[in-house]
Amino acid sequence: MAHTSKSIISPSPITHVPQEQEFILELTVSFHLITSTGAAASSYAISYDSMIKDLNCTRLQVTLGLSLYAIGYGIVPLISSSFSEERGRRPVYIMSSTLFFLAEVMNALAPNIQTVIVSRALQGVFGSCGASLIGGSIADIWQPHERGLPMSLFAFSSLFSFGLGSAFGGLISASPHLGWRWVQWVHAMFTGAFMLAVILLMNETRSSIILTHIAKDTRKMTGDPRYRSSAEIDKPNMTSLIKTSCTRPLYFLFTEPIVQSISLWIGIIWGILYCLFESVTAEFQSVYNFSVGDTGFVLLCQSVGAIIGFMANMYQESLYRKHFSTKGQEARLYMPCIAAVVLPIMMFIYAWTASPNIPWIVSLIALTAFMSGVFVIFQVSILYVADCYGPYASSAQAGQSLARNVMGLMFPLFTQQMFASMTYKWGLTLMALLCVLMAPTPWVLFFYGSKIRSRSKISRKILEAEQQKWDADTTVASSPIEEKSMQV
């Protein structure tokens, strides 16, 4: 006996949520990045002296806390990003913010440097779970041509928080009545507020999970158990899920040329950025006789650079809209090509003007311009990958995040020894040469990226499927069916 025809909802790989929910998502994610994950790295580095004095430890030991934070940030997204693609973004955000908050409390209460090191590793682990999903969340909500502004806001909040954390961390740790523990307590307060905001305000954005909820509601309202989402019908078991979570980001990293080239480029730059966390305070103290509080404001140049970079990316967005029809995804790379040239020039200026005979403002201007270039490149490392890999952007970015944060682990461990043996001038010159070495990356992708992507099966299939789904209507009426279950 034939079943009666019924209207069903068509699946879509990307589902728009109401404008109010988009605003809440961006607000909470930006609040998280500004007040916790980014600031936690820079404010920790600037409070070294207070920590060494209080815990009676060595500089290498406190540096290990910075490095382990970076490696935790790189490894865990290999699992959490793919897990979020199969089980939803919201549960991962909630788990991440809650455990990150507890790790910060653990750090603030640490009785010795060993506890600090463990808590810092945990902060990196739990902080990365949520932060690594942001590119995927943005890809969930916005079409490729709409992602420029939200991705700029994400990159801005991340790098702006580096400078903000340094400024406030320097002021707090320099106070004899406060010190490094209060830096951690202030972080914990803001992270606790963010945790509550995530629980109360954030909504799911992953389309397959949204459709699963719709299917459950439809079954409840109609009493018809045949309504199932495709995610429910093809739901993987836990073993398969863990295997996918661990291997998919590595697959992107080791097989996709786009991910490989972007990862190496941003990885070198990220390592240099972590070197600057280590060196700027000591350099300005030794060369210009700055205090800890003063060097905190020097690092505020990162925030100023983020503002300049944000404006540059707004111009880049207009170039993207203008040239997308002819250049495709490579229209994202106009400003990064310029930034790739600016970075080594500014690093050379910074290296060769770090002298008592040259006003400190010259070095600060070069450092600010360098951070502007970092901002532009950091955004494209996320946005370009999101455009190329669509619904699997989180996995591709997790592979890129691993490479980036491995560099963040390695570089600080030899920073002090390098500057002690080479001096600041030649150590920074070496970093500038690394920037020169990586400068051709966006130019190669700009001219040959489309050919590279055309040879990538996974990139080509994802982009074609995403475009087809966006062109389709969000609802369709089904024809009479004889199947035992109906897909929602």
Side-chain angles (χ1 to χ4, degrees):
M1 181 177 178
H3 293 280
T4 304
S5 174
K6 298 182 180 182
S7 294
I8 63 173
I9 300 174
S10 174
S12 171
I14 305 175
T15 300
H16 271 281
V17 294
Q19 291 296 321
E20 294 82 5
Q21 295 182 21
E22 294 180 354
F23 174 77
I24 289 172
L25 174 66
E26 281 304 307
L27 177 65
T28 51
V29 167
S30 298
F31 186 70
H32 179 208
L33 290 167
I34 289 175
T35 59
S36 50
T37 57
S42 57
S43 62
Y44 175 85
I46 203 169
S47 57
Y48 277 4
D49 292 340
S50 174
M51 193 180 306
I52 291 171
K53 182 178 179 180
D54 182 40
L55 299 178
N56 191 28
C57 57
T58 66
R59 190 174 187 86
L60 180 61
Q61 287 176 312
V62 295
T63 301
L64 190 59
L66 179 65
S67 294
L68 289 179
Y69 182 86
I71 196 61
Y73 230 87
I75 293 177
V76 174
L78 298 179
I79 300 174
S80 62
S81 58
S82 295
F83 187 87
S84 75
E85 289 164 355
E86 301 295 343
R87 292 292 186 264
R89 315 283 191 198
R90 187 171 181 269
V92 181
Y93 278 120
I94 293 175
M95 179 203 69
S96 169
S97 59
T98 302
L99 295 178
F100 186 80
F101 167 72
L102 295 176
E104 288 194 321
V105 172
M106 176 183 176
N107 195 2
L109 297 173
N112 51 54
I113 188 61
Q114 290 79 10
T115 307
V116 169
I117 291 173
V118 172
S119 67
R120 287 290 296 177
L122 292 175
Q123 281 180 266
V125 166
F126 300 134
S128 68
C129 291
S132 64
L133 304 186
I134 296 172
S137 296
I138 291 174
D140 289 342
I141 299 170
W142 284 279
Q143 299 182 56
H145 68 276
E146 299 172 328
R147 294 173 190 161
L149 179 59
M151 201 67 79
S152 290
L153 291 172
F154 160 54
F156 173 78
S157 61
S158 181
L159 292 184
F160 185 85
S161 66
F162 283 146
L164 202 64
S166 297
F168 282 99
L171 288 175
I172 295 172
S173 61
S175 172
H177 305 293
L178 297 176
W180 71 274
R181 292 186 187 275
W182 270 101
V183 174
Q184 303 307 316
W185 281 121
V186 170
H187 279 305
M189 293 174 192
F190 280 103
T191 303
F194 165 74
M195 176 184 67
L196 294 176
V198 169
I199 295 172
L200 298 175
L201 302 176
M202 186 171 282
N203 293 274
E204 182 58 60
T205 62
R206 181 71 175 170
S207 61
S208 59
I209 305 302
I210 294 173
L211 291 172
T212 297
H213 294 165
I214 294 174
K216 290 180 180 179
D217 292 340
T218 303
R219 291 197 299 269
K220 186 176 180 180
M221 288 187 298
T222 64
D224 191 336
R226 296 173 299 167
Y227 284 98
R228 291 286 187 274
S229 71
S230 58
E232 289 178 296
I233 295 173
D234 301 323
K235 186 175 181 179
N237 58 44
M238 187 56 64
T239 302
S240 175
L241 178 61
I242 293 174
K243 181 180 178 181
T244 300
S245 297
C246 294
T247 58
R248 186 188 289 163
L250 293 175
Y251 176 82
F252 281 115
L253 180 60
F254 292 124
T255 65
E256 290 294 308
I258 296 293
V259 178
Q260 290 170 340
S261 56
I262 290 290
S263 297
L264 182 59
W265 187 30
I266 190 63
I268 294 292
I269 294 171
W270 212 245
I272 293 173
L273 182 63
Y274 269 75
C275 278
L276 293 178
F277 289 158
E278 276 279 300
S279 65
V280 168
T281 299
E283 178 180 350
F284 273 78
Q285 286 176 341
S286 62
V287 176
Y288 300 110
N289 296 317
F290 276 33
S291 67
V292 174
D294 292 336
T295 54
F297 286 104
V298 168
L299 287 168
L300 197 61
C301 71
Q302 297 173 60
S303 298
V304 178
I307 294 173
I308 298 172
F310 180 80
M311 292 187 292
N313 278 333
M314 290 299 95
Y315 179 63
Q316 163 61 49
E317 188 61 19
S318 66
L319 292 174
Y320 173 77
R321 289 193 295 268
K322 181 179 180 180
H323 298 288
F324 176 78
S325 59
T326 56
K327 291 298 295 182
Q329 279 67 32
E330 283 64 46
R332 296 283 186 196
L333 300 175
Y334 286 98
M335 291 306 296
C337 287
I338 297 175
V341 177
V342 169
L343 251 62
I345 294 174
M346 291 301 108
M347 184 54 71
F348 275 123
I349 294 174
Y350 178 55
W352 287 80
T353 57
S355 168
N357 301 322
I358 300 176
W360 59 266
I361 192 66
V362 178
S363 295
L364 188 61
I365 291 173
L367 200 57
T368 302
F370 179 85
M371 289 306 304
S372 300
V374 171
F375 179 92
V376 172
I377 295 169
F378 177 65
Q379 177 179 334
V380 77
S381 72
I382 300 168
L383 191 54
Y384 183 59
V385 169
D387 284 355
C388 291
Y389 297 101
Y392 295 101
S394 286
S395 290
Q397 289 164 0
Q400 178 250 106
S401 177
L402 173 63
R404 186 179 77 233
N405 286 288
V406 165
M407 297 295 187
L409 162 69
M410 295 169 56
F411 275 55
L413 295 178
F414 61 77
T415 299
Q416 291 303 317
Q417 297 88 331
M418 179 181 68
F419 287 132
S421 60
M422 299 179 63
T423 73
Y424 287 111
K425 176 189 289 187
W426 293 108
L428 293 169
T429 298
L430 177 61
M431 295 183 189
L433 292 174
L434 289 175
C435 292
V436 171
L437 181 65
M438 299 308 302
T441 302
W443 294 90
V444 172
L445 292 177
F446 182 81
F447 289 107
Y448 302 104
S450 60
K451 293 182 179 179
I452 295 172
R453 287 186 293 108
S454 67
R455 297 174 182 175
S456 166
K457 293 181 179 180
I458 189 168
S459 178
R460 185 171 63 251
K461 288 180 179 179
I462 289 174
L463 290 173
E464 290 174 354
E466 186 177 81
Q467 188 61 47
Q468 290 173 1
K469 292 297 184 180
W470 272 113
D471 292 339
D473 294 331
T474 56
T475 59
V476 296
S478 69
S479 57
I481 56 174
E482 298 290 343
E483 299 176 357
K484 204 167 183 178
S485 64
M486 294 182 293
Q487 291 191 24
V488 178

